[in-house]
């Protein structure tokens, strides 16, 4: 197992070096439209948080609660209790 981890580490380091070389070559290429290229950033910095913004507070909300039809489990007849809650905001 340690040999596998070491092999993956070496391969990852090799790929990082190759990516760096390719980025430098791209910076040297002239653009067709005459503009200068924007400075490149490492892939980890280039990631953008693409999470949606929350729905504005002034919009009306509808609360829907789904309750079970029975008060006890079908097999053990023990009382039911809430396990989790799922909140979804959706524009219609």
């Amino acid at each position: 197992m340690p040999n596998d981890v070491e092999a993956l580490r070496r391969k990852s380091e090799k790929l990082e070096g190759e990516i760096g070389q390719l980025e430098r070559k791209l910076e040297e290429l002239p653009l067709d439209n005459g503009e200068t290229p924007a400075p490149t950033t490492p892939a980890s910095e280039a990631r953008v948080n693409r999470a949606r913004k929350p729905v504005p507070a002034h919009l009306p909300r509808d609360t829907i609660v789904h309750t079970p039809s029975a008060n006890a489990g079908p097999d053990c007849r023990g009382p039911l209790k809430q396990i989790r809650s799922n909140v979804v905001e959706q524009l219609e």
Side-chain angles (χ1 to χ4, degrees):
M1 199 55 95
N3 292 334
D4 293 338
V5 172
E6 188 61 33
L8 287 173
R9 183 177 295 127
R10 284 192 304 265
K11 186 173 182 179
S12 174
E13 291 170 354
K14 180 181 175 185
L15 287 174
E16 286 176 3
E18 290 176 0
I19 290 171
Q21 290 175 357
L22 290 172
E23 285 177 343
R24 286 188 289 278
K25 286 182 182 180
L26 280 174
E27 289 174 358
E28 295 171 2
L29 292 175
L31 295 177
D32 290 338
N33 58 6
E35 295 179 7
T36 57
T40 59
T41 59
S44 61
E45 293 177 14
R47 292 185 182 149
V48 178
N49 184 4
R50 297 182 184 201
R52 293 184 181 193
K53 295 179 182 177
V55 176
H58 69 277
L59 294 176
R61 304 301 202 261
D62 291 333
T63 303
I64 300 173
V65 179
H66 298 280
T67 56
S69 59
N71 292 334
D75 295 328
C76 69
R77 303 287 182 219
L80 297 178
K81 57 185 171 184
Q82 183 176 352
I83 297 175
R84 66 181 175 131
S85 172
N86 189 11
V87 177
V88 178
E89 291 186 344
Q90 181 178 355
L91 292 174
E92 291 183 6

